[in-house]
Amino acid sequence: VETLSCLSILSPDEVLMNEGRKHSPLARKVVQFFEEAEGANADDSSDGDPTIPSTATVVKFISRSFFDQTKGAELLRKLARQDTYDSKAL
């Protein structure tokens, strides 16, 4: 519940998850959460509900090797949309 609440507050453009955990309960809940949010936004039925993100969020499953902190900046450049992060942080 806390993870979904945090994601709801952050309303990210993308969520990167380990592909080896694709069928885990948490991964399924995250995917379902954003699918429901996208459907609610498409139907315009969210009515300003703060628990439903206001933009479409893409959930991507990537190889565990890309979660290496030393390769994080390289991964971010490859996968993230350029306008969604501060390039100075890299």
Side-chain angles (χ1 to χ4, degrees):
V1 175
E2 289 180 24
T3 300
L4 296 178
S5 295
C6 288
L7 286 172
S8 176
I9 292 168
L10 294 172
S11 190
D13 291 313
E14 297 171 312
V15 176
L16 303 178
M17 300 186 78
N18 177 355
E19 68 184 356
R21 306 281 300 159
K22 194 172 194 170
H23 301 292
S24 72
L26 178 60
R28 287 195 306 260
K29 286 179 183 180
V30 169
V31 169
Q32 181 181 8
F33 176 75
F34 287 112
E35 284 176 351
E36 288 175 0
E38 185 176 338
N41 287 336
D43 295 340
D44 198 32
S45 62
S46 63
D47 296 328
D49 186 346
T51 63
I52 298 176
S54 60
T55 60
T57 299
V58 177
V59 179
K60 293 182 181 181
F61 290 92
I62 60 174
S63 172
R64 182 174 169 80
S65 64
F66 287 115
F67 284 93
D68 182 351
Q69 289 182 359
T70 60
K71 297 180 184 177
E74 181 181 333
L75 173 66
L76 188 58
R77 282 190 208 98
K78 287 180 181 179
L79 295 178
R81 297 178 208 153
Q82 284 187 332
D83 59 340
T84 62
Y85 66 93
D86 184 1
S87 61
K88 295 175 189 173
L90 302 178

Coordinates of all heavy atoms in Angstrom, one line a residue:
V1 N 0.8 -1.2 0.0 CA 0.0 0.0 0.0 C 0.9 1.3 0.0 O 0.6 2.2 -0.7 CB -1.0 0.0 1.2 CG1 -1.7 1.3 1.3 CG2 -1.9 -1.2 1.1
E2 N 2.0 1.3 0.8 CA 2.8 2.4 0.8 C 3.5 2.7 -0.5 O 3.6 3.9 -0.9 CB 3.9 2.2 1.9 CG 3.4 2.3 3.3 CD 4.4 2.1 4.4 OE1 5.6 2.4 4.1 OE2 4.1 1.7 5.5
T3 N 3.9 1.6 -1.2 CA 4.5 1.8 -2.5 C 3.6 2.5 -3.5 O 4.0 3.4 -4.2 CB 5.0 0.5 -3.1 OG1 6.0 -0.1 -2.2 CG2 5.7 0.6 -4.4
L4 N 2.4 2.0 -3.5 CA 1.4 2.6 -4.5 C 1.0 4.0 -4.1 O 0.8 4.8 -4.9 CB 0.1 1.7 -4.5 CG 0.4 0.3 -5.1 CD1 -0.9 -0.5 -5.1 CD2 0.9 0.3 -6.5
S5 N 1.0 4.3 -2.8 CA 0.7 5.6 -2.3 C 1.8 6.6 -2.7 O 1.5 7.7 -3.2 CB 0.5 5.7 -0.8 OG -0.6 4.9 -0.4
C6 N 3.0 6.1 -2.6 CA 4.2 7.0 -3.0 C 4.2 7.2 -4.5 O 4.4 8.3 -5.0 CB 5.5 6.3 -2.6 SG 5.8 6.4 -0.8
L7 N 3.9 6.2 -5.3 CA 3.9 6.3 -6.7 C 2.7 7.2 -7.1 O 2.9 8.0 -8.1 CB 3.7 4.9 -7.4 CG 5.0 4.1 -7.4 CD1 4.7 2.7 -7.9 CD2 6.1 4.7 -8.2
S8 N 1.6 7.2 -6.4 CA 0.5 8.0 -6.7 C 0.9 9.5 -6.5 O 0.6 10.4 -7.3 CB -0.7 7.6 -5.9 OG -1.7 8.5 -6.1
I9 N 1.6 9.7 -5.4 CA 2.0 11.1 -5.1 C 3.0 11.6 -6.1 O 2.9 12.7 -6.6 CB 2.6 11.2 -3.6 CG1 1.4 10.9 -2.6 CG2 3.2 12.5 -3.4 CD1 1.9 10.7 -1.2
L10 N 4.0 10.8 -6.4 CA 5.0 11.2 -7.4 C 4.5 11.3 -8.8 O 5.1 12.1 -9.6 CB 6.2 10.2 -7.3 CG 7.0 10.1 -6.0 CD1 7.9 8.9 -6.0 CD2 7.7 11.4 -5.8
S11 N 3.5 10.5 -9.2 CA 3.0 10.5 -10.5 C 4.1 10.5 -11.6 O 4.2 11.4 -12.4 CB 2.1 11.7 -10.7 OG 1.3 11.6 -11.9
P12 N 4.9 9.4 -11.6 CA 6.0 9.4 -12.5 C 5.6 9.1 -13.9 O 4.5 8.6 -14.2 CB 6.9 8.2 -12.0 CG 5.9 7.3 -11.4 CD 4.8 8.2 -10.8
D13 N 6.5 9.5 -14.9 CA 6.2 9.2 -16.3 C 6.5 7.8 -16.6 O 5.9 7.2 -17.4 CB 7.0 10.1 -17.2 CG 6.5 11.6 -17.1 OD1 5.3 11.8 -17.2 OD2 7.4 12.5 -17.0
E14 N 7.5 7.2 -15.8 CA 8.0 5.9 -16.1 C 8.3 5.2 -14.7 O 8.8 5.9 -13.8 CB 9.3 5.8 -16.9 CG 9.1 6.4 -18.3 CD 10.4 6.5 -19.1 OE1 11.3 7.1 -18.5 OE2 10.4 6.1 -20.2
V15 N 8.1 3.9 -14.7 CA 8.5 3.1 -13.5 C 9.3 2.0 -14.1 O 8.9 1.2 -14.9 CB 7.3 2.6 -12.7 CG1 7.7 1.6 -11.6 CG2 6.4 3.7 -12.2
L16 N 10.6 1.9 -13.6 CA 11.5 0.8 -14.1 C 11.5 -0.3 -13.0 O 11.7 0.0 -11.8 CB 12.9 1.3 -14.3 CG 13.0 2.4 -15.3 CD1 14.5 2.9 -15.3 CD2 12.5 2.1 -16.6
M17 N 11.2 -1.5 -13.5 CA 11.2 -2.7 -12.5 C 12.0 -3.8 -13.1 O 12.2 -4.0 -14.3 CB 9.7 -3.1 -12.3 CG 8.8 -2.0 -11.8 SD 7.2 -2.6 -11.3 CE 7.6 -3.4 -9.8
N18 N 12.5 -4.7 -12.2 CA 13.3 -5.8 -12.6 C 12.5 -6.8 -13.3 O 11.4 -7.3 -12.8 CB 13.9 -6.4 -11.3 CG 14.7 -7.7 -11.5 OD1 14.8 -8.2 -12.6 ND2 15.3 -8.2 -10.4
E19 N 12.9 -7.2 -14.5 CA 12.1 -8.2 -15.3 C 12.0 -9.5 -14.6 O 11.0 -10.3 -14.9 CB 12.7 -8.3 -16.7 CG 14.0 -9.0 -16.8 CD 14.6 -9.0 -18.2 OE1 13.9 -8.6 -19.1 OE2 15.7 -9.5 -18.3
G20 N 12.9 -9.9 -13.8 CA 12.8 -11.2 -13.1 C 11.7 -11.2 -12.1 O 11.3 -12.3 -11.6
R21 N 11.2 -10.1 -11.7 CA 10.1 -10.0 -10.7 C 8.8 -9.6 -11.4 O 7.8 -9.2 -10.7 CB 10.4 -8.9 -9.7 CG 11.8 -9.1 -9.0 CD 11.7 -10.1 -7.9 NE 10.7 -9.7 -6.9 CZ 10.2 -10.5 -6.0 NH1 10.5 -11.8 -6.0 NH2 9.3 -10.1 -5.2
K22 N 8.7 -9.8 -12.7 CA 7.5 -9.4 -13.5 C 6.2 -10.0 -13.0 O 5.2 -9.3 -13.0 CB 7.7 -9.8 -14.9 CG 6.8 -9.1 -15.9 CD 7.2 -9.4 -17.3 CE 6.5 -8.5 -18.3 NZ 7.0 -8.6 -19.6
H23 N 6.3 -11.2 -12.4 CA 5.1 -11.8 -12.0 C 4.9 -11.8 -10.5 O 4.0 -12.5 -9.9 CB 5.0 -13.3 -12.5 CG 5.1 -13.4 -14.0 ND1 4.1 -13.0 -14.8 CD2 6.1 -13.8 -14.8 CE1 4.4 -13.1 -16.0 NE2 5.6 -13.6 -16.1
S24 N 5.7 -11.0 -9.8 CA 5.6 -10.8 -8.3 C 4.3 -10.1 -8.0 O 3.8 -9.3 -8.8 CB 6.8 -10.1 -7.8 OG 6.7 -8.7 -8.1
P25 N 3.8 -10.3 -6.8 CA 2.5 -9.5 -6.4 C 2.7 -8.0 -6.5 O 1.8 -7.3 -7.0 CB 2.3 -10.0 -5.0 CG 3.0 -11.3 -4.9 CD 4.2 -11.2 -5.8
L26 N 3.9 -7.5 -6.1 CA 4.0 -6.0 -6.2 C 4.1 -5.5 -7.6 O 3.4 -4.5 -7.9 CB 5.3 -5.6 -5.5 CG 5.7 -4.1 -5.5 CD1 4.5 -3.3 -4.9 CD2 7.0 -3.8 -4.9
A27 N 4.8 -6.2 -8.5 CA 4.8 -5.8 -9.9 C 3.4 -5.8 -10.5 O 3.1 -4.9 -11.2 CB 5.8 -6.7 -10.7
R28 N 2.7 -6.9 -10.2 CA 1.3 -6.9 -10.8 C 0.5 -5.8 -10.2 O -0.3 -5.2 -11.0 CB 0.7 -8.3 -10.4 CG 1.2 -9.5 -11.2 CD 0.4 -10.7 -11.1 NE 0.1 -11.1 -9.7 CZ 0.7 -12.1 -9.1 NH1 1.7 -12.7 -9.7 NH2 0.4 -12.4 -7.9
K29 N 0.6 -5.5 -9.0 CA -0.2 -4.3 -8.4 C 0.2 -3.0 -9.0 O -0.7 -2.2 -9.3 CB 0.0 -4.3 -6.9 CG -0.7 -5.4 -6.1 CD -0.5 -5.3 -4.7 CE -1.1 -6.5 -3.9 NZ -0.9 -6.4 -2.5
V30 N 1.5 -2.8 -9.3 CA 2.0 -1.6 -9.9 C 1.4 -1.4 -11.3 O 0.9 -0.4 -11.7 CB 3.5 -1.5 -9.9 CG1 4.0 -0.3 -10.7 CG2 4.0 -1.3 -8.4
V31 N 1.5 -2.5 -12.1 CA 1.0 -2.5 -13.4 C -0.5 -2.2 -13.4 O -1.0 -1.4 -14.2 CB 1.4 -3.8 -14.2 CG1 0.6 -3.9 -15.5 CG2 2.9 -3.9 -14.4
Q32 N -1.2 -3.0 -12.6 CA -2.6 -2.8 -12.5 C -3.0 -1.4 -12.1 O -4.0 -0.8 -12.6 CB -3.2 -3.8 -11.5 CG -4.7 -3.7 -11.4 CD -5.2 -4.7 -10.3 OE1 -4.5 -5.4 -9.6 NE2 -6.6 -4.9 -10.3
F33 N -2.3 -0.8 -11.1 CA -2.6 0.5 -10.6 C -2.5 1.5 -11.8 O -3.4 2.4 -11.9 CB -1.6 0.9 -9.5 CG -1.7 2.3 -9.0 CD1 -2.7 2.7 -8.2 CD2 -0.8 3.3 -9.4 CE1 -2.9 4.0 -7.7 CE2 -0.9 4.6 -9.0 CZ -1.9 4.9 -8.1
F34 N -1.5 1.5 -12.6 CA -1.3 2.4 -13.7 C -2.2 2.1 -14.8 O -2.6 3.0 -15.5 CB 0.2 2.6 -14.1 CG 1.0 3.3 -13.1 CD1 1.9 2.6 -12.3 CD2 0.7 4.6 -12.8 CE1 2.7 3.3 -11.3 CE2 1.5 5.3 -11.8 CZ 2.4 4.7 -11.1
E35 N -2.6 0.9 -15.0 CA -3.6 0.6 -16.1 C -4.9 1.1 -15.7 O -5.6 1.7 -16.5 CB -3.7 -0.9 -16.3 CG -2.5 -1.5 -17.1 CD -2.6 -3.0 -17.2 OE1 -3.4 -3.7 -16.5 OE2 -1.8 -3.6 -17.9
E36 N -5.3 1.0 -14.4 CA -6.6 1.5 -14.0 C -6.6 3.0 -14.0 O -7.6 3.7 -14.4 CB -6.9 1.1 -12.5 CG -7.2 -0.4 -12.4 CD -7.4 -0.9 -11.0 OE1 -7.2 -0.1 -10.1 OE2 -7.7 -2.1 -10.8
A37 N -5.4 3.6 -13.7 CA -5.3 5.1 -13.7 C -5.5 5.6 -15.1 O -6.1 6.6 -15.4 CB -4.0 5.5 -13.1
E38 N -4.8 4.9 -16.0 CA -4.9 5.3 -17.4 C -6.3 5.2 -18.0 O -6.8 6.1 -18.7 CB -3.9 4.5 -18.3 CG -3.9 4.9 -19.7 CD -2.9 4.1 -20.5 OE1 -1.9 3.5 -19.9 OE2 -3.0 4.1 -21.7
G39 N -7.0 4.1 -17.6 CA -8.4 3.9 -18.0 C -9.3 5.0 -17.4 O -10.2 5.5 -18.1
A40 N -9.0 5.4 -16.1 CA -9.9 6.4 -15.5 C -9.6 7.7 -16.1 O -10.6 8.5 -16.3 CB -9.5 6.5 -14.0
N41 N -8.4 8.0 -16.5 CA -8.1 9.3 -17.1 C -8.7 9.4 -18.5 O -9.1 10.4 -19.0 CB -6.6 9.5 -17.2 CG -6.0 9.9 -15.8 OD1 -6.7 10.4 -15.0 ND2 -4.7 9.6 -15.6
A42 N -8.7 8.2 -19.2 CA -9.2 8.2 -20.6 C -10.7 8.4 -20.5 O -11.3 9.0 -21.4 CB -8.9 6.8 -21.2
D43 N -11.4 7.9 -19.5 CA -12.8 8.0 -19.3 C -13.2 9.4 -18.7 O -14.3 9.7 -18.6 CB -13.4 6.9 -18.4 CG -13.2 5.6 -19.0 OD1 -13.1 5.5 -20.3 OD2 -13.3 4.6 -18.3
D44 N -12.1 10.1 -18.3 CA -12.3 11.4 -17.6 C -13.2 11.2 -16.4 O -14.0 12.1 -16.0 CB -12.9 12.4 -18.6 CG -12.7 13.9 -18.0 OD1 -11.7 14.1 -17.4 OD2 -13.5 14.7 -18.3
S45 N -13.0 10.1 -15.7 CA -13.8 9.9 -14.5 C -13.1 10.1 -13.2 O -13.6 9.8 -12.1 CB -14.4 8.4 -14.5 OG -13.3 7.5 -14.5
S46 N -11.8 10.6 -13.3 CA -11.0 10.7 -12.1 C -11.5 11.9 -11.2 O -11.3 11.9 -10.0 CB -9.5 10.9 -12.4 OG -9.4 12.1 -13.2
D47 N -12.2 12.9 -11.8 CA -12.7 14.0 -11.1 C -11.8 14.6 -10.1 O -12.2 14.9 -8.9 CB -14.0 13.6 -10.4 CG -15.1 13.2 -11.4 OD1 -15.1 13.8 -12.5 OD2 -15.9 12.3 -11.1
G48 N -10.5 14.7 -10.4 CA -9.5 15.3 -9.5 C -9.1 14.4 -8.3 O -8.6 14.9 -7.3
D49 N -9.4 13.1 -8.4 CA -9.1 12.2 -7.4 C -7.5 12.1 -7.2 O -6.8 11.8 -8.2 CB -9.6 10.8 -7.7 CG -9.4 9.8 -6.6 OD1 -8.6 10.0 -5.7 OD2 -10.0 8.7 -6.7
P50 N -7.0 12.5 -6.1 CA -5.5 12.6 -5.9 C -4.9 11.2 -5.9 O -3.7 11.1 -6.0 CB -5.3 13.3 -4.6 CG -6.6 13.0 -3.8 CD -7.7 12.9 -4.9
T51 N -5.6 10.1 -5.8 CA -5.0 8.8 -5.8 C -4.9 8.2 -7.2 O -4.3 7.2 -7.4 CB -5.9 7.8 -5.0 OG1 -7.2 7.6 -5.6 CG2 -6.1 8.2 -3.5
I52 N -5.4 9.0 -8.2 CA -5.2 8.6 -9.6 C -4.2 9.5 -10.3 O -4.5 10.7 -10.3 CB -6.6 8.5 -10.3 CG1 -7.5 7.5 -9.6 CG2 -6.4 8.2 -11.8 CD1 -8.9 7.5 -10.2
P53 N -3.1 9.0 -10.8 CA -2.1 9.9 -11.4 C -2.8 10.6 -12.6 O -3.6 10.1 -13.3 CB -1.0 8.9 -11.9 CG -1.2 7.7 -11.1 CD -2.6 7.6 -10.7
S54 N -2.3 11.9 -12.9 CA -3.0 12.7 -13.9 C -2.4 12.4 -15.3 O -2.9 12.9 -16.3 CB -2.8 14.2 -13.5 OG -1.5 14.5 -13.4
T55 N -1.2 11.8 -15.4 CA -0.6 11.5 -16.7 C -0.4 10.0 -16.8 O -0.4 9.3 -15.8 CB 0.7 12.2 -16.8 OG1 1.6 11.7 -15.8 CG2 0.6 13.7 -16.7
A56 N -0.3 9.5 -18.1 CA 0.0 8.1 -18.3 C 1.4 7.8 -17.8 O 2.3 8.5 -18.1 CB -0.2 7.8 -19.8
T57 N 1.5 6.7 -17.1 CA 2.8 6.2 -16.6 C 3.1 4.9 -17.3 O 2.3 4.0 -17.4 CB 2.7 6.0 -15.1 OG1 2.4 7.2 -14.5 CG2 4.0 5.4 -14.6
V58 N 4.3 4.8 -17.8 CA 4.8 3.6 -18.5 C 5.6 2.8 -17.5 O 6.5 3.3 -16.8 CB 5.7 4.0 -19.7 CG1 6.3 2.8 -20.4 CG2 5.0 4.9 -20.7
V59 N 5.2 1.5 -17.4 CA 5.9 0.6 -16.5 C 6.8 -0.3 -17.4 O 6.3 -0.9 -18.3 CB 4.9 -0.3 -15.7 CG1 5.7 -1.3 -14.9 CG2 4.0 0.5 -14.9
K60 N 8.1 -0.2 -17.2 CA 9.0 -1.0 -18.0 C 9.8 -2.0 -17.2 O 10.2 -1.7 -16.1 CB 10.1 0.0 -18.7 CG 9.5 1.0 -19.7 CD 10.7 1.8 -20.2 CE 10.1 2.8 -21.3 NZ 11.2 3.6 -21.8
F61 N 9.9 -3.2 -17.7 CA 10.6 -4.3 -17.1 C 12.0 -4.4 -17.8 O 12.0 -4.6 -19.0 CB 9.8 -5.6 -17.1 CG 8.6 -5.5 -16.2 CD1 7.4 -5.1 -16.7 CD2 8.7 -5.9 -14.9 CE1 6.3 -5.1 -15.9 CE2 7.6 -5.8 -14.0 CZ 6.4 -5.4 -14.5
I62 N 13.0 -4.3 -17.0 CA 14.4 -4.3 -17.6 C 15.2 -5.3 -16.8 O 14.9 -5.7 -15.7 CB 15.1 -2.9 -17.5 CG1 15.2 -2.4 -16.1 CG2 14.3 -1.9 -18.4 CD1 15.9 -1.1 -15.9
S63 N 16.3 -5.7 -17.4 CA 17.2 -6.7 -16.9 C 17.8 -6.2 -15.5 O 18.1 -5.0 -15.4 CB 18.4 -7.0 -17.9 OG 19.4 -7.8 -17.3
R64 N 18.0 -7.1 -14.6 CA 18.6 -6.8 -13.3 C 20.0 -6.1 -13.4 O 20.4 -5.3 -12.6 CB 18.7 -8.0 -12.4 CG 19.2 -7.8 -11.1 CD 19.1 -9.1 -10.2 NE 19.8 -9.0 -9.0 CZ 19.3 -8.4 -7.9 NH1 18.2 -7.8 -7.9 NH2 20.0 -8.4 -6.8
S65 N 20.7 -6.5 -14.5 CA 22.1 -6.0 -14.6 C 22.0 -4.5 -14.8 O 23.0 -3.8 -14.5 CB 22.8 -6.6 -15.8 OG 22.1 -6.3 -17.0
F66 N 20.9 -3.9 -15.3 CA 20.8 -2.5 -15.5 C 20.6 -1.7 -14.2 O 20.6 -0.5 -14.1 CB 19.7 -2.1 -16.5 CG 20.1 -2.4 -17.9 CD1 19.4 -3.4 -18.6 CD2 21.1 -1.8 -18.5 CE1 19.7 -3.7 -19.9 CE2 21.5 -2.1 -19.8 CZ 20.7 -3.1 -20.5
F67 N 20.4 -2.4 -13.1 CA 20.2 -1.8 -11.8 C 21.5 -1.5 -11.1 O 21.5 -1.1 -9.9 CB 19.2 -2.6 -10.9 CG 17.8 -2.5 -11.3 CD1 17.2 -3.4 -12.2 CD2 17.0 -1.4 -10.9 CE1 15.9 -3.2 -12.6 CE2 15.7 -1.3 -11.3 CZ 15.1 -2.2 -12.1
D68 N 22.6 -1.8 -11.7 CA 23.9 -1.5 -11.2 C 24.1 0.0 -11.0 O 23.9 0.7 -12.0 CB 25.0 -2.1 -12.1 CG 26.4 -1.9 -11.6 OD1 26.6 -1.2 -10.6 OD2 27.3 -2.5 -12.2
Q69 N 24.4 0.5 -9.8 CA 24.4 1.9 -9.6 C 25.5 2.6 -10.5 O 25.3 3.8 -10.8 CB 24.7 2.2 -8.1 CG 23.6 1.9 -7.2 CD 23.8 2.2 -5.8 OE1 24.9 2.7 -5.4 NE2 22.9 2.0 -4.9
T70 N 26.5 1.9 -10.8 CA 27.6 2.6 -11.6 C 27.1 2.7 -13.1 O 27.6 3.5 -13.8 CB 28.9 1.7 -11.6 OG1 28.6 0.4 -12.1 CG2 29.4 1.6 -10.2
K71 N 26.1 2.0 -13.5 CA 25.6 2.1 -14.8 C 24.2 2.8 -14.9 O 23.6 2.9 -15.9 CB 25.4 0.7 -15.4 CG 26.7 -0.1 -15.6 CD 26.4 -1.4 -16.2 CE 27.7 -2.3 -16.3 NZ 27.4 -3.6 -16.8
G72 N 23.8 3.4 -13.7 CA 22.5 4.0 -13.6 C 22.4 5.2 -14.6 O 21.3 5.4 -15.2
A73 N 23.4 6.1 -14.7 CA 23.3 7.2 -15.6 C 23.2 6.8 -17.0 O 22.4 7.4 -17.8 CB 24.5 8.1 -15.3
E74 N 23.9 5.8 -17.4 CA 23.9 5.3 -18.7 C 22.5 4.7 -19.1 O 21.9 5.0 -20.1 CB 24.9 4.2 -18.9 CG 25.0 3.6 -20.3 CD 26.0 2.5 -20.4 OE1 27.0 2.5 -19.7 OE2 25.8 1.6 -21.3
L75 N 21.9 4.0 -18.1 CA 20.6 3.4 -18.3 C 19.6 4.5 -18.4 O 18.7 4.5 -19.3 CB 20.3 2.5 -17.1 CG 18.8 2.0 -17.1 CD1 18.6 1.0 -18.3 CD2 18.6 1.3 -15.8
L76 N 19.7 5.5 -17.6 CA 18.7 6.6 -17.6 C 18.8 7.3 -19.0 O 17.7 7.6 -19.5 CB 19.1 7.6 -16.5 CG 18.1 8.7 -16.2 CD1 16.7 8.2 -15.9 CD2 18.6 9.6 -15.1
R77 N 19.9 7.5 -19.5 CA 20.0 8.1 -20.8 C 19.4 7.3 -21.9 O 18.8 7.8 -22.9 CB 21.5 8.4 -21.2 CG 22.1 9.6 -20.5 CD 23.5 9.9 -21.1 NE 24.2 10.6 -20.1 CZ 25.1 10.0 -19.3 NH1 25.4 8.7 -19.4 NH2 25.8 10.6 -18.4
K78 N 19.5 6.0 -21.8 CA 18.9 5.1 -22.8 C 17.4 4.9 -22.7 O 16.7 4.8 -23.7 CB 19.5 3.7 -22.7 CG 21.0 3.6 -23.1 CD 21.4 2.1 -22.9 CE 22.9 2.0 -23.3 NZ 23.4 0.6 -23.1
L79 N 16.9 4.9 -21.5 CA 15.5 4.5 -21.3 C 14.5 5.6 -21.0 O 13.4 5.6 -21.4 CB 15.3 3.5 -20.2 CG 16.0 2.1 -20.5 CD1 15.8 1.2 -19.3 CD2 15.4 1.5 -21.7
A80 N 15.0 6.6 -20.3 CA 14.1 7.7 -19.8 C 13.8 8.7 -20.9 O 14.7 9.0 -21.7 CB 14.6 8.3 -18.6
R81 N 12.7 9.3 -20.9 CA 12.4 10.4 -21.8 C 13.2 11.6 -21.3 O 13.2 11.9 -20.1 CB 10.9 10.7 -21.7 CG 10.0 9.6 -22.2 CD 8.6 10.0 -22.0 NE 7.8 8.7 -21.8 CZ 6.6 8.7 -21.2 NH1 6.1 9.8 -20.7 NH2 6.0 7.6 -21.1
Q82 N 13.8 12.3 -22.2 CA 14.8 13.3 -21.9 C 14.1 14.5 -21.0 O 14.8 15.0 -20.2 CB 15.4 13.9 -23.1 CG 16.5 13.0 -23.7 CD 17.2 13.7 -24.8 OE1 16.6 14.6 -25.5 NE2 18.4 13.3 -25.1
D83 N 12.9 14.7 -21.3 CA 12.2 15.9 -20.6 C 11.7 15.5 -19.2 O 11.0 16.2 -18.5 CB 11.1 16.5 -21.4 CG 10.0 15.5 -21.8 OD1 10.3 14.3 -21.7 OD2 8.9 15.9 -22.1
T84 N 12.0 14.2 -18.7 CA 11.5 13.8 -17.5 C 12.5 13.7 -16.3 O 12.2 13.3 -15.2 CB 10.9 12.4 -17.6 OG1 11.9 11.4 -18.0 CG2 9.7 12.3 -18.6
Y85 N 13.7 14.1 -16.6 CA 14.7 14.1 -15.6 C 15.7 15.3 -15.8 O 15.8 15.9 -16.9 CB 15.5 12.8 -15.5 CG 16.4 12.5 -16.7 CD1 17.7 12.9 -16.8 CD2 15.8 11.9 -17.8 CE1 18.5 12.7 -17.9 CE2 16.6 11.6 -18.9 CZ 17.9 12.0 -19.0 OH 18.7 11.8 -20.1
D86 N 16.4 15.7 -14.7 CA 17.3 16.8 -14.8 C 18.7 16.3 -15.3 O 19.3 15.5 -14.6 CB 17.5 17.4 -13.4 CG 18.4 18.6 -13.4 OD1 18.9 19.0 -14.5 OD2 18.6 19.2 -12.3
S87 N 19.1 16.6 -16.5 CA 20.3 16.1 -17.1 C 21.5 16.5 -16.3 O 22.6 15.9 -16.4 CB 20.4 16.6 -18.5 OG 20.5 18.0 -18.6
K88 N 21.4 17.6 -15.5 CA 22.5 18.0 -14.6 C 22.9 17.0 -13.6 O 24.0 16.9 -13.0 CB 22.2 19.4 -14.0 CG 22.1 20.5 -15.0 CD 21.7 21.8 -14.3 CE 21.3 22.8 -15.3 NZ 20.8 24.0 -14.6
A89 N 21.9 16.2 -13.2 CA 22.1 15.2 -12.2 C 22.9 14.0 -12.6 O 23.5 13.3 -11.8 CB 20.7 14.6 -11.7
L90 N 23.1 13.9 -13.9 CA 24.0 12.8 -14.5 C 25.4 13.3 -14.5 O 26.3 12.6 -14.6 CB 23.5 12.4 -15.9 CG 22.1 12.0 -16.0 CD1 21.7 11.6 -17.4 CD2 21.8 10.7 -15.1

